[in-house]
Amino acid sequence: RLHLVTWNVGTASPPPDVTSLLQLNSLGPTTDMYIIGLQEVNSRITNFLSDLAFDDPWSVFFMTVLSPLGYIKLSSVRMQGLLLLIFVKHVHLPFVRDIHTHYTRTGLYGYWGNKGGVSIRMSLFGRTICFMNCHLPAHMENTEQRLDDFEKILEMQFEGEDIPSPMDHEILFWFGDLNFRIADYGIHFVRESINNKRFNLLWEKDQLNMAKKKEVFLKEFKEGPLQFKPTYKFDLYSEVYDTSEKKRKPAWTDRILWKVKNLCEVASKEGEFPEEENPISVTLNNYVSHMSYGISDHKPVTGTFKLEMKPLVSDPLVTLSPEGEWSAEHDVFMRYSTVPEFPSSAWDWIGLFQVTFRHVNDYVTYAWVEDDEISSNKDSKQVYMSASEIPKMGGEFLLCYYSNNLQSIVGISEPFQIQPSKTPIEGDLPEEESSWLQKPDNPES
């Protein structure tokens, strides 16, 4: 289950609550992955430079909301005002591999990043999937420019060997502030149709719908019905369309589309006959706007999808677990095993994480798998961690195996308890400071 968000936030700060935006009170099955695409994140040059050194406020905000619910930030990519974040449930981490990011500038002839696209691709249970968050040129008359820019974004290549182009991924999601407008009809007809909830009267003059009928590269993209009010342009903190002098005509600028590669077609062209009809299906369960959010002149749009696929990968590369009872009173041990083809490295490490960890750098401490190995047999290896590095306060934790070659977590343990220390913590340092002193240098740096 995937939940996609697109939102032009108009340089605003995060709102106080995103429960409805992320469907956190939903009674249905829990979301496995959140994909959050923002446009016009505050991109003044001072903010952008500080955000390169530290996570920007929106990333921190979503991590703070989602990490207590068992999600970690899998990946992110930013280009000035464009930001794409992906969060995933812990349990899926070992099956997400080959993560790559890319950005394409199209503003000012490709020199300025105020318009363009940011992309993240990955292998999910062995299936290739790509997410593209785009901000295309504005204004009614720029339809052709929007289409040209999107074609340019589609032509980009991820760095690395054997990585398919965006259109060659088995699943491709395209979303963002695409800036397509409603052509021909005057503002009064458009507003009357909206007021009477007769949105279907406007669909045939929606520039994106029109383009999909004639542009070959768009024909395979699908979209849910636009059964919500156009999401642009609103007065701030209201559900009232633009009352400024410009009186912009409402439009469905904020969209979510997807494309599933026809694997049967590919196989038959190559003279092969697939074993099954189509091993992948994408079903749209919900495509809505969220009118209650008023921090910008756009309303956010979300799409909730059911993704069904026959997995090509169903076993983790590394299986690991703590051994015996863990306590800050004594050195502790963990054991791991790998599949035969796993490309291990001397730079691999096992991190100890709180169960609410936010991203891969959020470890409490770690051990190098080779330097700290104490025994091995043909089935598994044992690694130790010093008592001095174990959190004195105890609590619930996880172990994660980080692969340097694959640049990702490839194994994760079940949650387990660490017993608190029975002896008082040395000195009078507050707990936060003492644990900071125990934390080693970042193994990724």
Side-chain angles (χ1 to χ4, degrees):
R1 187 177 167 91
L2 273 59
H3 188 70
L4 272 76
V5 177
T6 179
W7 193 3
N8 182 323
V9 297
T11 73
S13 298
D17 184 72
V18 285
T19 300
S20 65
L21 184 72
L22 301 180
Q23 295 187 346
L24 299 180
N25 288 339
S26 167
L27 297 174
T30 57
T31 299
D32 295 288
M33 187 181 280
Y34 283 99
I35 299 93
I36 300 166
L38 306 179
Q39 306 87 39
E40 290 193 29
V41 171
N42 193 340
S43 58
R44 287 197 300 266
I45 204 72
T46 50
N47 292 80
F48 183 56
L49 291 175
S50 67
D51 290 349
L52 288 177
F54 309 98
D55 275 314
D56 66 277
W58 280 93
S59 298
V60 172
F61 171 74
F62 281 114
M63 282 192 285
T64 304
V65 171
L66 290 171
S67 66
L69 305 175
Y71 298 90
I72 83 150
K73 188 179 88 173
L74 178 75
S75 184
S76 66
V77 58
R78 174 145 190 213
M79 180 182 73
Q80 276 174 242
L82 272 169
L83 176 64
L84 178 55
L85 300 162
I86 296 185
F87 293 85
V88 66
K89 275 276 190 195
H90 293 162
V91 66
H92 301 307
L93 276 177
F95 307 102
V96 186
R97 299 174 195 168
D98 304 322
I99 303 161
H100 292 81
T101 65
H102 195 276
Y103 61 84
T104 308
R105 297 187 182 98
T106 58
L108 255 182
Y109 309 104
Y111 290 106
W112 188 240
N114 64 323
K115 294 288 191 291
V118 288
S119 309
I120 299 176
R121 64 85 56 195
M122 65 192 69
S123 158
L124 182 65
F125 291 93
R127 300 293 183 179
T128 57
I129 184 166
C130 181
F131 300 96
M132 294 185 131
N133 171 27
C134 297
H135 193 183
L136 301 181
H139 306 306
M140 178 71 71
E141 66 277 9
N142 284 334
T143 306
E144 291 306 317
Q145 187 64 54
R146 288 188 268 281
L147 295 171
D148 288 349
D149 283 8
F150 182 52
E151 266 198 291
K152 181 185 174 186
I153 293 165
L154 282 175
E155 286 165 5
M156 70 82 173
Q157 294 290 326
F158 291 97
E159 285 183 25
E161 291 179 23
D162 303 325
I163 299 176
S165 68
M167 292 288 267
D168 283 330
H169 281 70
E170 290 169 278
I171 306 166
L172 172 60
F173 285 97
W174 171 39
F175 48 96
D177 179 359
L178 308 185
N179 253 322
F180 290 101
R181 307 303 168 103
I182 297 169
D184 301 341
Y185 297 141
I187 188 168
H188 295 294
F189 179 78
V190 171
R191 288 194 174 188
E192 271 304 297
S193 302
I194 295 167
N195 290 339
N196 294 323
K197 293 194 164 72
R198 299 187 70 186
F199 307 132
N200 59 312
L201 297 179
L202 308 175
W203 291 345
E204 66 177 27
K205 293 298 182 181
D206 170 79
Q207 291 174 335
L208 180 53
N209 284 343
M210 292 160 75
K212 279 175 66 187
K213 288 176 183 168
K214 63 175 189 173
E215 300 289 346
V216 174
F217 75 99
L218 289 182
K219 284 187 174 169
E220 289 181 44
F221 281 97
K222 295 181 180 177
E223 183 181 17
L226 297 166
Q227 291 173 338
F228 50 86
K229 291 168 73 169
T231 51
Y232 171 86
K233 169 181 168 92
F234 289 88
D235 292 346
L236 295 185
Y237 299 102
S238 81
E239 295 184 22
V240 178
Y241 284 107
D242 189 12
T243 59
S244 72
E245 284 180 21
K246 289 183 178 175
K247 284 201 167 51
R248 294 266 188 224
K249 189 162 58 167
W252 285 289
T253 54
D254 309 280
R255 313 285 278 268
I256 300 171
L257 296 92
W258 74 97
K259 184 181 88 69
V260 179
K261 193 174 179 186
N262 189 330
L263 301 176
C264 303
E265 206 172 282
V266 173
S268 60
K269 274 181 190 168
E270 293 172 358
E272 300 167 10
F273 293 95
E275 291 176 24
E276 58 226 306
E277 205 164 295
N278 207 344
I280 296 171
S281 80
V282 176
T283 309
L284 176 66
N285 291 338
N286 205 5
Y287 189 36
V288 293
S289 65
H290 297 260
M291 297 299 289
S292 63
Y293 294 94
I295 60 172
S296 79
D297 54 1
H298 291 251
K299 300 298 181 185
V301 170
T302 61
T304 308
F305 295 86
K306 182 171 72 170
L307 178 56
E308 293 178 283
M309 52 195 181
K310 186 172 183 181
L312 298 176
V313 170
S314 52
D315 294 316
L317 294 172
V318 176
T319 307
L320 74 163
S321 59
E323 288 205 309
E325 184 183 90
W326 277 43
S327 155
E329 301 284 318
H330 51 74
D331 293 348
V332 291
F333 306 95
M334 48 208 155
R335 188 170 288 279
Y336 75 91
S337 57
T338 66
V339 295
E341 66 272 20
F342 176 62
S344 61
S345 156
W347 298 104
D348 290 356
W349 50 275
I350 296 173
L352 178 67
F353 293 83
Q354 291 186 309
V355 287
T356 56
F357 75 110
R358 307 195 314 177
H359 51 76
V360 71
N361 293 335
D362 217 5
Y363 54 84
V364 177
T365 186
Y366 68 89
W368 296 107
V369 294
E370 286 198 8
D371 289 357
D372 297 312
E373 181 185 310
I374 52 171
S375 72
S376 70
N377 57 43
K378 64 179 174 59
D379 296 321
S380 65
K381 297 184 177 184
Q382 190 183 43
V383 176
Y384 98 103
M385 214 173 253
S386 163
S388 63
E389 295 172 4
I390 303 302
K392 305 291 184 202
M393 301 296 286
E396 194 174 23
F397 291 84
L398 294 162
L399 293 170
C400 295
Y401 187 110
Y402 184 86
S403 161
N404 186 65
N405 286 331
L406 300 177
Q407 294 286 294
S408 63
I409 290 172
V410 293
I412 188 165
S413 76
E414 293 289 326
F416 64 96
Q417 291 289 330
I418 294 181
Q419 300 303 318
S421 172
K422 298 187 179 76
T423 53
I425 297 168
E426 289 176 26
D428 296 316
L429 283 174
E431 167 60 21
E432 276 181 30
E433 198 172 336
S434 68
S435 63
W436 175 79
L437 286 173
Q438 295 164 17
K439 194 168 182 174
D441 294 334
N442 184 351
E444 288 198 278
S445 61

